[in-house]
Amino acid sequence: MPTSRSPLKTDSSASEHRLNMLNAAITELQTEALSSQTHSIPLNLAISEHEIWQTPPTYTINTLAELRQQYPNNSLVFIVGADNIASLPKWRDGDKLTQFAHLWVFPRDELQSTEEIVELLPTSLKPQVSYRLQDLKQLTHGRIYIDSHTVAPLSSSAIREAIAQGRPDIAKSALPHSVYSYIMKNNLYHSY
């Protein structure tokens, strides 16, 4: 679910470009999954345009509240990198996100332990940490699950900066080929 523009950022690429890049990435993932018998990527990926066309700023808390109202009996899971957990106090009602959804947190650093991520949480959210992934399926909201799999520590900001500095090799190795091609074809981030 791409946002129109994060309230914590002053600059972002045009909504159309971000949406096109997401579509390209999903198409590439689905194509790879179809061509590989052993690949376990789900084919039911989709993009929600709920926030992208709204006038900025948009707030996650408002989106999750609306989704909870639309899907009162469904388990809603908001996936976030551990780097964002430290900034939750800066988000609008960041400590209230679990009133509407679960948080599934991925470490952004190979050495980052579950305990370190728990320490990043606001005090009010620490009791909601669950070590059972099953809780996210059985309950509709209110739990925080910290995954043990690490997400690449390379941020989108670092990729944009590398392209602007004439080092596109970082983007080429980190992004799906279709997204990298789209960025180069549309000359994105070169004057970032």
Side-chain angles (χ1 to χ4, degrees), residues 25-35 41-46:
I26 286 175
T27 300
E28 186 171 327
L29 286 172
Q30 290 173 327
T31 301
E32 287 175 8
L34 285 172
S35 65
I41 296 174
L43 297 178
N44 59 349
L45 297 172

Side-chain angles (χ1 to χ4, degrees), residues 55-104:
T55 303
T58 56
Y59 298 98
T60 301
I61 192 74
N62 295 343
T63 300
L64 292 179
E66 288 177 32
L67 290 172
R68 172 56 53 215
Q69 192 171 22
Q70 288 176 3
Y71 306 101
N73 301 317
N74 292 51
S75 173
L76 299 179
V77 180
F78 184 69
I79 300 173
V80 63
D83 54 323
N84 285 307
I85 293 299
S87 68
L88 276 182
K90 295 179 184 177
W91 294 28
R92 177 170 286 175
D93 295 326
D95 61 338
K96 295 184 172 87
L97 296 176
T98 55
Q99 292 178 7
F100 305 102
H102 300 298
L103 299 183
W104 187 336

Side-chain angles (χ1 to χ4, degrees), residues 120-192:
L120 295 174
L121 288 166
T123 304
S124 62
L125 293 179
K126 289 179 184 182
Q128 297 177 36
V129 172
S130 172
Y131 297 95
R132 293 173 12 99
L133 183 58
Q134 193 65 23
D135 286 348
L136 276 58
K137 295 178 184 178
Q138 294 174 341
L139 304 168
T140 60
H141 63 284
R143 293 290 184 265
I144 300 169
Y145 177 75
I146 301 170
D147 203 291
S148 59
H149 297 89
T150 304
V151 176
L154 189 60
S155 68
S156 58
S157 298
I159 291 172
R160 290 189 300 269
E161 286 175 24
I163 292 170
Q165 295 170 357
R167 297 180 295 130
D169 52 315
I170 292 172
K172 189 174 187 175
S173 65
L175 297 172
H177 176 73
S178 58
V179 175
Y180 174 77
S181 295
Y182 184 91
I183 290 170
M184 294 299 119
K185 178 182 174 190
N186 290 281
N187 202 28
L188 300 180
Y189 315 127
H190 288 88
S191 62
Y192 183 70

